[in-house]
Amino acid sequence: MSKILIACVAFAALIIVATVTRPALVLPAGAYNVPTKDQMEINRKAYALAAQQQEAEWQLATTRTLVTAMLREPASGKFGVVFHGRGKAVCGTINARNGFGGMTGQKAFVRLSGKMPMFEDAWNESFVNAWNRHCANV
């Protein structure tokens, strides 16, 4: 039993000596650079741009999901052109099956930020106004 105790004490002493006598970590010259104000501004702009791009991708994905969910036969939906309009609007076209099983042809849609998509309809004045305001001549 005394041999085990002596071995443990010796091991603990070895660990203490190794910890105390370990050389300090020294970084080479120039290894730690403080960013300048210009570098910090560039980083801030890069992060802001990345956040805007992520938001735009999220809006496109959300719009595609909502438009597809509103179709009579969601699996038949084939998107045409989908793009960002003015403001945070997402505009585009989709072709899907109608109630008779035939394809409808490309129908336009607009989704304004935080709202459900509106589909092209000759009688729907709010769609025409939204398309002209947010999607036309972008």
Side-chain angles (χ1 to χ4, degrees):
M1 178 100 172
S2 64
K3 290 183 182 181
I4 295 174
L5 183 60
I6 292 171
C8 289
V9 170
F11 184 69
L14 182 63
I15 291 175
I16 292 171
V17 169
T19 305
V20 172
T21 60
R22 181 179 58 176
L25 179 65
V26 178
L27 295 174
Y32 180 73
N33 294 328
V34 178
T36 64
K37 285 185 179 181
D38 291 339
Q39 290 170 334
M40 290 174 63
E41 182 63 20
I42 290 170
N43 288 343
R44 187 190 64 76
K45 288 180 181 178
Y47 288 132
L49 181 61
Q52 287 175 350
Q53 289 173 342
Q54 187 176 14
E55 173 70 19
E57 290 171 8
W58 180 82
Q59 285 178 351
L60 283 175
T62 304
T63 299
R64 285 177 181 264
T65 302
L66 288 172
V67 167
T68 303
M70 294 175 72
L71 298 176
R72 175 167 280 187
E73 192 177 316
S76 71
K78 304 287 185 230
F79 285 93
V81 177
V82 180
F83 59 96
H84 288 284
R86 289 185 188 91
K88 292 188 176 185
V90 176
C91 312
T93 60
I94 189 166
N95 189 6
R97 293 203 184 282
N98 60 20
F100 298 107
M103 299 303 278
T104 61
Q106 293 292 329
K107 297 290 182 182
F109 65 87
V110 177
R111 178 175 179 249
L112 303 177
S113 180
K115 298 190 177 183
M116 292 300 289
M118 295 183 283
F119 288 92
E120 176 183 356
D121 184 358
W123 304 105
N124 189 347
E125 191 174 326
S126 62
F127 170 82
V128 173
N129 290 337
W131 183 269
N132 289 337
R133 178 176 293 141
H134 297 284
C135 304
N137 299 323
V138 175

